[in-house]
Amino acid sequence: MTNPIESNYPALRILKVASCPTASGKGTLTYHVGCNASNAIQFRVVQNSGGGYFSAEWVAWEAIQPALESAALPLTSFPLIKLYQGKSTNTPAFLMAVLKQEGLVRNLEGNVRGYELLDSLPFLTAMKDLIASNVNLT
């Protein structure tokens, strides 16, 4: 049987399945990092143990990075809202937790809801290695 979530997206290769705490620490998120046929990196949240609603839409790093780079500091999940078609207000905050787990953002000292963008090169290098390895998780 076809997964209805999967049928809404072009074929993406899942490079990584991981988990991280939500920003509040009240739940654990499971997420995927994938790539499309052009090897563009994509993210999606697929599970939340805390019970909050979320969208399982894939969102491209190529859209996330400029949204965060052009946002006012301290960064919040607000600039990520426009990247989702779904209506869940939790999803951008969940994506921010994923980006933190992947080392792409970090909390500002003394500001639990404010973030700063980090160098993406280590993350992108790791993803490039996974792409080259032809990994395809399900």
Side-chain angles (χ1 to χ4, degrees), residues 28-86:
T28 300
L29 303 170
T30 302
Y31 64 93
H32 295 164
V33 181
C35 69
N36 63 16
S38 300
N39 294 333
I41 303 298
Q42 312 271 330
F43 293 88
R44 74 171 173 180
V45 175
V46 294
Q47 189 173 25
N48 173 21
S49 71
Y53 292 108
F54 63 91
S55 171
E57 294 173 59
W58 286 100
V59 178
W61 173 245
E62 293 173 348
I64 296 166
Q65 186 175 23
L68 294 176
E69 286 177 342
S70 64
L73 295 177
L75 294 176
T76 65
S77 62
F78 186 74
L80 302 176
I81 291 171
K82 65 184 175 190
L83 303 180
Y84 286 96
Q85 296 173 9

Side-chain angles (χ1 to χ4, degrees), residues 2-42:
T2 303
N3 180 340
I5 292 171
E6 294 296 328
S7 63
N8 292 331
Y9 299 98
L12 291 170
R13 186 161 52 115
I14 298 174
L15 305 172
K16 182 176 183 178
V17 177
S19 61
C20 67
T22 60
S24 68
K26 294 180 181 178
T28 300
L29 303 170
T30 302
Y31 64 93
H32 295 164
V33 181
C35 69
N36 63 16
S38 300
N39 294 333
I41 303 298
Q42 312 271 330

